[in-house]
Amino acid sequence: MDNNQPSNETKTVADILLREHVLDQSKYTQLKLEAIKKNIDIDKLLLESKAVSEEKFYEARAKLIGIPFISVATLPFMPEALSSVPKALAEKFSLVPFSFDKENNTLSVAMIDPLDIEAVNFLRQKTNLLVKVFQGIPSEIDTAIQAEYNIGLVGEVKEALRETEQAVKTFDKESINQVIKEAPIAKIVSTILEYAMKSRASDIHIEPQEDRVRVRYRIDGILYERLSLPKGVQEAVTSRIKILSGMKIDEHRIPQDGRFNFKISSQEVDLRVSALPIVFGEKIVMRLLSKSGGIPTLVELGLRGSSLKNLQDAILRPHGIIIVCGPTGSGKTTTLYSVLSKINTTKVNISTLEDPVEYQLPGINQVQINTDVGLTFANGLRSFLRQDPNIILVGEIRDKETTELAIQAALTGHLVFSTVHTSSAAGTLPRLIDMGAETFLLASTMTAVLAQRIARKICTNCKIEYIPPQEIILEIKKNLGDLLPKDKSEEFRLYKGRGCDSCGNSGYYGRVGIFELMVISEKIEKLILQKADALTIENMSKNEGMITMKQDGYLKAIEGVSTIDEILRVAQE
């Protein structure tokens, strides 16, 4: 039997939810008796009682009336769909158009009441389109009407698209150059960039697909689909970005890289652009690097307590190696820049080898790796030692040669900073030994290893507290032990974001680091000489007072900086 079709015995939403075991028999019976007693519809009572979630209720209602269900909370809205229905009409009939199929002349619409025949007929006459209706969730539809019609991104782009309809249906070598200079295409690209800056995005993904072009933004580390462009403007938009970035617009077969600056009022960003040929065209990824934001301090990054004090002590030593480790995108470079900013004075010579140079730091000699001409980490580091440096930053230690040179630099009185792709602080030492580091040299030069991840912060505008399940409380207490704040031993509450306009209804705003700092003590040095495994080294560090990443995360969840779900997402091994 088709799941969207109710059985003969099914007459209400409550019946469907009972059949699907979402509603138990006792609750169903209670609701039925109460509905008879109050002489009201059982479904109305079910919704008011909140015995099931709004989503489950309307999903079941869709099955009851035989209409497809859709959640619009995470959908990308097509500008052509929104432009076909005025906001006043969407509000009047409680509906939101989200997709437009040009080939079949069909408009897809999510409605609170898809059985409102008057509304559907009016929409058909108004738009001159076939209308495909979906059962939506009222709260999501209300939010979408306000957000999508006011967002600026879709509104601005739909106006520009209207102007391009005639100009960009077909392209040839002669016309493409003219089209990409035209105001509508420039406006689309400009609006995409403006929205990225306003929404604090770190990356923009423009991805050609078979029938459309998807635009996604990475905000606080998570990708969100925010826009869907028609296939017809793909070539012009891609070419516009390639011209801005200094790439060849007639080269479509190989990857290309470029960069340009973009400014809105006092805000300026440096965009690193990458074009990659994929099946349906060229995918563009733009990394946004703020020029006006400044480098955060160690405290602003989320370091505190013993970890902060021990790191500050380590960076004030005149020589040794300090490693920051974590996966790609865990904020290692930002932490190193923060450290360099703290120790950057006119009395020391600081040189960095980076791939690529992400931020330009005044007073520091920054070198961009260029493997095409033989400027590798190893060769650059060799040259640095002839430049009379005090402090050296090597972007990444990834081979035996760089490892040996970094150790050599530390032995000859330099302070060396670098990164390694390992998941924990303790795992870094065996990795360096695997890369060819001599144990006795490593033991005598290593000062500290900092492991980190980035978690999203709770939006302070819509933050609420709640009592977590017992198993979560026990897990936190077991992991924290003596670190658990005394006031939390009895009354235990955690926090989350409800979702609001400020945070784009995600419940999160901004990010914070989660850290573990392992100081290389005499006992750890002995374990390095014995080539001990990561677990043995970690246990020794814990005995000496190291706060692990998970513990640091749990403390930040208890304090209401982040959510427990976010900590488990980024710090769970």
Side-chain angles (χ1 to χ4, degrees):
M1 187 179 76
D2 183 354
N3 282 341
N4 277 334
Q5 295 303 317
S7 66
N8 293 334
E9 302 83 46
T10 306
K11 295 174 185 174
T12 66
V13 171
D15 291 336
I16 288 178
L17 292 169
L18 175 69
R19 191 183 71 201
E20 293 182 349
H21 309 293
V22 176
L23 200 64
D24 61 43
Q25 185 66 56
S26 61
K27 189 67 183 173
Y28 175 83
T29 307
Q30 180 193 335
L31 285 166
K32 200 160 191 175
L33 290 170
E34 200 175 330
I36 293 167
K37 191 176 170 184
K38 292 181 177 177
N39 194 27
I40 59 169
D41 182 63
I42 186 172
D43 287 346
K44 187 182 177 188
L45 186 65
L46 173 63
L47 195 58
E48 286 171 358
S49 71
K50 296 185 178 174
V52 296
S53 69
E54 192 184 24
E55 183 173 353
K56 288 288 180 192
F57 179 90
Y58 283 97
E59 205 174 335
R61 184 174 189 262
K63 289 176 184 173
L64 181 71
I65 61 180
I67 282 173
F69 168 81
I70 196 149
S71 168
V72 297
T74 55
L75 278 182
F77 285 78
M78 292 179 73
E80 307 97 306
L82 285 165
S83 62
S84 62
V85 180
K87 185 183 178 186
L89 197 62
E91 287 177 327
K92 181 183 177 184
F93 293 121
S94 297
L95 57 86
V96 63
F98 60 88
S99 179
F100 173 59
D101 182 350
K102 196 170 185 178
E103 205 173 296
N104 298 311
N105 214 34
T106 302
L107 182 71
S108 294
V109 179
M111 299 179 71
I112 290 178
D113 183 10
L115 296 180
D116 186 343
I117 305 301
E118 183 195 343
V120 176
N121 286 337
F122 188 85
L123 205 57
R124 282 191 186 120
Q125 289 166 3
K126 174 82 180 165
T127 61
N128 241 349
L129 299 169
L130 296 170
V131 177
K132 187 176 181 182
V133 295
F134 291 78
Q135 173 68 67
I137 301 168
S139 61
E140 289 186 359
I141 288 173
D142 292 343
T143 301
I145 291 170
Q146 298 313 315
E148 297 302 330
Y149 279 98
N150 299 334
I151 202 166
L153 175 69
V154 173
E156 294 272 359
V157 170
K158 76 185 181 194
E159 290 302 318
L161 283 174
R162 199 174 285 148
E163 292 177 48
T164 65
E165 276 177 0
Q166 299 307 314
V168 296
K169 282 183 179 169
T170 56
F171 299 107
D172 55 41
K173 284 182 182 176
E174 288 69 40
S175 66
I176 185 74
N177 290 328
Q178 183 54 39
V179 169
I180 57 179
K181 292 174 190 169
E182 288 177 4
I185 294 298
K187 180 71 176 168
I188 290 171
V189 173
S190 174
T191 306
I192 288 170
L193 295 173
E194 280 180 46
Y195 180 77
M197 289 175 74
K198 286 173 186 169
S199 61
R200 305 170 296 107
S202 61
D203 301 84
I204 307 167
H205 292 238
I206 299 174
E207 302 166 306
Q209 304 200 315
E210 190 173 6
D211 55 348
R212 64 188 179 106
V213 180
R214 180 168 74 170
V215 181
R216 293 193 290 172
Y217 293 87
R218 191 177 291 282
I219 303 167
D220 293 334
I222 306 292
L223 276 171
Y224 296 94
E225 192 166 343
R226 287 285 186 256
L227 185 63
S228 184
L229 295 172
K231 194 75 174 167
V233 298
Q234 175 183 314
E235 192 74 28
V237 168
T238 302
S239 296
R240 171 76 182 162
I241 294 166
K242 285 168 81 174
I243 281 178
L244 290 170
S245 315
M247 299 182 200
K248 296 175 183 173
I249 64 164
D250 56 348
E251 178 57 79
H252 307 287
R253 300 162 302 164
I254 59 170
Q256 293 187 73
D257 294 305
R259 65 195 304 165
F260 66 96
N261 289 352
F262 184 73
K263 192 173 183 179
I264 308 178
S265 58
S266 61
Q267 267 192 303
E268 188 175 356
V269 289
D270 179 18
L271 289 115
R272 284 213 323 266
V273 186
S274 168
L276 179 73
I278 62 172
V279 176
F280 300 115
E282 285 177 281
K283 175 176 173 176
I284 302 280
V285 175
M286 294 185 270
R287 164 67 56 90
L288 285 81
L289 302 165
S290 175
K291 288 190 145 190
S292 43
I295 305 295
T297 64
L298 293 172
V299 173
E300 286 167 350
L301 290 175
L303 271 157
R304 74 267 175 85
S306 60
S307 297
L308 176 62
K309 184 185 178 301
N310 290 337
L311 182 61
Q312 286 174 333
D313 291 345
I315 64 180
L316 292 174
R317 290 176 63 171
H319 54 81
I321 300 174
I322 296 172
I323 300 281
V324 179
C325 66
T328 302
S330 59
K332 300 186 294 294
T333 306
T334 305
T335 300
L336 286 173
Y337 281 165
S338 182
V339 167
L340 291 183
S341 297
K342 187 173 174 61
I343 56 179
N344 181 21
T345 69
T346 54
K347 295 176 182 178
V348 290
N349 176 18
I350 303 177
S351 297
T352 76
L353 267 173
E354 302 172 63
D355 184 21
V357 173
E358 292 196 6
Y359 294 96
Q360 286 159 6
L361 302 169
I364 290 176
N365 310 297
Q366 294 173 272
V367 177
Q368 166 88 46
I369 291 298
N370 187 346
T371 50
D372 293 343
V373 296
L375 180 50
T376 61
F377 282 123
N379 289 342
L381 187 47
R382 206 175 272 112
S383 302
F384 272 9
L385 296 175
R386 296 192 286 273
Q387 287 276 317
D388 184 32
N390 300 97
I391 297 160
I392 296 169
L393 184 146
V394 185
E396 187 186 341
I397 292 177
R398 54 171 79 145
D399 55 38
K400 183 179 181 181
E401 196 177 5
T402 314
T403 309
E404 288 174 345
L405 284 164
I407 290 172
Q408 199 58 47
L411 284 170
T412 52
H414 303 92
L415 182 57
V416 180
F417 294 96
S418 192
T419 70
V420 175
H421 283 281
T422 47
S423 58
S424 68
T428 301
L429 300 171
R431 173 67 62 85
L432 291 171
I433 292 168
D434 287 345
M435 278 195 270
E438 293 287 353
T439 53
F440 66 96
L441 295 176
L442 192 64
S444 59
T445 54
M446 286 297 296
T447 304
V449 183
L450 180 73
Q452 67 179 72
R453 300 287 188 280
I454 302 182
R456 291 179 291 171
K457 287 162 75 174
I458 299 170
C459 172
T460 52
N461 200 43
C462 61
K463 182 167 147 183
I464 54 169
E465 63 174 39
Y466 69 99
I467 297 170
Q470 195 60 31
E471 59 267 27
I472 294 286
I473 296 173
L474 293 173
E475 162 75 8
I476 291 174
K477 285 184 175 178
K478 179 186 163 191
N479 264 275
L480 288 180
D482 295 339
L483 294 171
L484 185 74
K486 296 284 185 284
D487 60 327
K488 294 287 182 182
S489 53
E490 295 300 322
E491 195 171 302
F492 208 100
R493 278 181 165 71
L494 289 177
Y495 305 85
K496 61 184 176 183
R498 196 171 37 229
C500 64
D501 290 342
S502 298
C503 60
N505 290 305
S506 67
Y508 296 99
Y509 190 98
R511 295 197 284 173
V512 68
I514 298 169
F515 302 93
E516 66 180 25
L517 181 77
M518 183 175 73
V519 177
I520 310 301
S521 63
E522 284 184 21
K523 288 181 178 177
I524 302 289
E525 283 180 22
K526 285 177 184 171
L527 291 177
I528 295 171
L529 291 168
Q530 294 163 14
K531 294 190 178 180
D533 60 26
L535 187 60
T536 308
I537 294 170
E538 185 173 295
N539 288 335
M540 178 61 76
S541 293
K542 284 184 191 171
N543 292 340
E544 293 185 331
M546 179 179 82
I547 295 171
T548 66
M549 253 186 302
K550 192 182 262 190
Q551 287 174 332
D552 188 34
Y554 282 162
L555 287 168
K556 284 177 172 125
I558 287 171
E559 290 162 15
V561 176
S562 189
T563 65
I564 192 70
D565 291 343
E566 190 65 6
I567 299 306
L568 292 172
R569 180 180 75 85
V570 300
Q572 189 78 280
E573 288 300 320

